[in-house]
Amino acid sequence: EAGVAQSPRYKIIEKRQSVAFWCNPISGHATLYWYQQILGQGPKLLIQFQNNGVVDDSQLPKDRFSAERLKGVDSTLKIQPAKLEDSAVYLCASSLVLAGGSQETQYFGPGTRLLVL
Amino acid sequence: DAKTTQPPSMDCAEGRAANLPCNHSTISGNEYVYWYRQIHSQGPQYIIHGLKNNETNEMASLIITEDRKSSTLILPHATLRDTAVYYCIVRPLTGNQFYFGTGTSLTVIP
C-alpha cells in the first residue's frame, strides 16, 4: 500500500515570498491533516479535512496560511507571504473514518522542510 | 496542550529492552494512549495504541497501569534503527485532538 506522498521535500524561499505544498493521502482515507513541526518541537495540527470539508482550522494562521482539498483527495497548503518564523517541517497525515465517526490511526508523509531566509 | 509528560531523553544498550515511560494523569475514560516515533528527517510513524488493556504487536508492547494514569512502551530488543524521538499521545475516540508534546529522544548505544 502506498503511503502519504508529499512534495516538494525541501524548499528555500525569502521572506514575503509565497510557497505551496502538496499532499496525496493514502487511497481511501477520508481525513487529511496538515501539521507544522518547528525544530525541537512535536508536530502541531494546523488544519483537518474530512473529504473536502474543513473540520478544524482553529490553529491555522489564516492571515497568511490557506489550505484546500477541492476534490476530497489531494490537498495543498499555501503560505502567502512567508515569515522567518514559518521555517519548519510541514507534515501531511491521513486516516480512515470508522463507523460512528471515530478516527483511525493517522499515517504521516515524509514532510516538506521549509527554510525562510 | 499536550496531556502527557515524558522524559526528554533516554539511552538504551543495543539488544536490551527499552522501556519508555509516559504520564497521563488527566486522561479520561474515552481517551486512547497512542505511541508514535519519529526517526530523523522522517514523518512520525505509528507504533501502537491502547485503551485499558496491555497491547502487543510486532514492533512493541504497551503496558497501561490499572488507573490509566501512566503507561510504558517497551521495545523488547532495541536496535540502532530504533534511535528516534518517541511521542506518547492521548486522544479521544472521536475528534482530532492529537497533541504531540516534545517526546523522548531515545538513543540506542552499540
Side-chain angles (χ1 to χ4, degrees):
Chain A
E1 177 183 85
V4 176
Q6 290 188 247
S7 68
R9 291 297 312 276
Y10 305 92
K11 190 74 177 179
I12 301 174
I13 62 173
E14 295 187 349
K15 60 183 179 183
R16 292 189 288 274
Q17 285 187 323
S18 301
V19 65
F21 313 126
W22 174 82
C23 173
N24 189 340
I26 294 172
S27 178
H29 281 196
T31 307
L32 184 147
Y33 313 79
W34 282 101
Y35 287 83
Q36 180 193 59
Q37 185 173 24
I38 293 172
L39 187 65
Q41 300 180 17
K44 182 187 81 170
L45 180 70
L46 292 175
I47 189 168
Q48 177 188 350
F49 292 93
Q50 185 153 321
N51 298 309
N52 60 352
V54 175
V55 174
D56 183 357
D57 63 357
S58 58
Q59 299 299 308
L60 189 72
K62 299 179 187 62
D63 57 334
R64 298 183 300 105
F65 286 65
S66 64
E68 60 184 15
R69 194 184 183 200
L70 294 176
K71 297 183 179 179
V73 181
D74 294 6
S75 175
T76 55
L77 176 70
K78 296 179 182 178
I79 307 175
Q80 182 180 2
K83 291 186 176 181
L84 297 178
E85 58 261 36
D86 298 332
S87 294
V89 176
Y90 291 86
L91 295 159
C92 180
S94 69
S95 65
L96 285 169
V97 179
L98 301 177
S102 62
Q103 301 291 336
E104 243 289 340
T105 299
Q106 294 185 25
Y107 295 92
F108 285 79
T112 296
R113 189 175 299 272
L114 173 69
L115 179 60
V116 182
L117 301 175
Chain B
D1 291 330
K3 296 184 176 182
T4 62
T5 303
Q6 298 177 254
S9 63
M10 292 180 62
D11 292 339
C12 177
E14 187 178 16
R16 303 296 294 269
N19 297 283
L20 292 91
C22 179
N23 287 322
H24 31 80
S25 58
T26 61
I27 194 170
S28 59
N30 69 343
E31 290 182 320
Y32 284 75
V33 179
Y34 274 74
W35 283 83
Y36 278 75
R37 73 180 183 185
Q38 189 170 24
I39 296 169
H40 183 63
S41 296
Q42 297 183 20
Q45 176 191 23
Y46 167 77
I47 301 174
I48 199 167
H49 75 282
L51 183 63
K52 296 180 184 178
N53 301 321
N54 298 336
E55 302 288 344
T56 296
N57 62 21
E58 64 278 6
M59 289 183 69
S61 295
L62 173 60
I63 308 298
I64 303 175
T65 58
E66 193 169 342
D67 63 7
R68 303 208 325 122
K69 292 186 177 181
S70 65
S71 61
T72 301
L73 178 75
I74 301 173
L75 308 178
H77 305 287
T79 71
L80 298 179
R81 288 180 292 183
D82 293 322
T83 293
V85 177
Y86 287 77
Y87 295 99
C88 169
I89 303 157
V90 296
R91 62 169 295 194
L93 180 62
T94 59
N96 60 285
Q97 293 88 340
F98 218 67
Y99 300 108
F100 274 82
T102 52
T104 295
S105 178
L106 174 70
T107 301
V108 179
I109 302 169

